[in-house]
Amino acid sequence: MKKNPLSLTIPYILLAIGFLFLPLAASADISLFPTGYWGPLVSCTWINCNTCHLFSTAQMVIYFIMTLTLFVVGPIMVTAGGIMMLISAGNAERFSCGWKMATGAIIGILIALGAFLIVNTLLYTVAKQIPGFSGTGFTISCTANSP
């Protein structure tokens, strides 16, 4: 049985590419590996709070939920589906179940990202009309002195 020369060279090419990106991963630049949003969730200290702070807090809660979705739940579900496919041992039903789990997780992440874009845009649009708004981009910021 003659082996295909391409099947022997592909692992070496992937290994070489991996070694090219290893120093990049070791630099631990925050822009290369996003870490999500872990807090604070409340934007004011209950002194000088206004309506704008309510919208800012809502945006921070949405950021936190998206962080959990993208960096915790999504990868766990994709990994669980991949493991289920790996240990299926030729059982087509278990492989299919793992495949559905992994693709369902990816589709769920895409739906969550779409919902995030819609909700964050609406939240920002409404918050712009409130006195005390001082946001830039799509980040809601507030001044403490306005009513």
Side-chain angles (χ1 to χ4, degrees), residues 67-80 101-102 105-106 108-109:
T67 297
L68 289 178
T69 302
L70 293 176
F71 297 111
V72 179
V73 177
I76 288 173
M77 295 304 291
V78 171
T79 303
M101 183 183 292
I106 292 170
I109 288 171

Side-chain angles (χ1 to χ4, degrees), residues 19 37 64 72 80 84 98 100 125 128 135 144-145:
F19 280 128
Y37 182 79
F64 180 70
V72 179
M84 191 176 287
K100 287 179 186 175
T125 304
K128 276 197 315 189
N145 298 333

Side-chain angles (χ1 to χ4, degrees), residues 21-90:
F21 287 108
L22 192 62
L24 192 63
S27 70
D29 187 7
I30 197 99
S31 64
L32 293 175
F33 301 105
T35 57
Y37 182 79
W38 297 106
L41 292 180
V42 180
S43 64
C44 69
T45 58
W46 307 111
I47 300 170
N48 294 329
C49 292
N50 57 23
T51 311
C52 182
H53 287 97
L54 178 68
F55 285 94
S56 178
T57 300
Q59 187 180 47
M60 290 179 195
V61 168
I62 291 170
Y63 284 165
F64 180 70
I65 291 171
M66 286 305 297
T67 297
L68 289 178
T69 302
L70 293 176
F71 297 111
V72 179
V73 177
I76 288 173
M77 295 304 291
V78 171
T79 303
I83 289 172
M84 191 176 287
M85 286 189 289
L86 283 174
I87 64 172
S88 66

Side-chain angles (χ1 to χ4, degrees), residues 125-138:
T125 304
V126 172
K128 276 197 315 189
Q129 311 302 322
I130 297 172
F133 174 82
S134 62
T136 58
F138 275 98

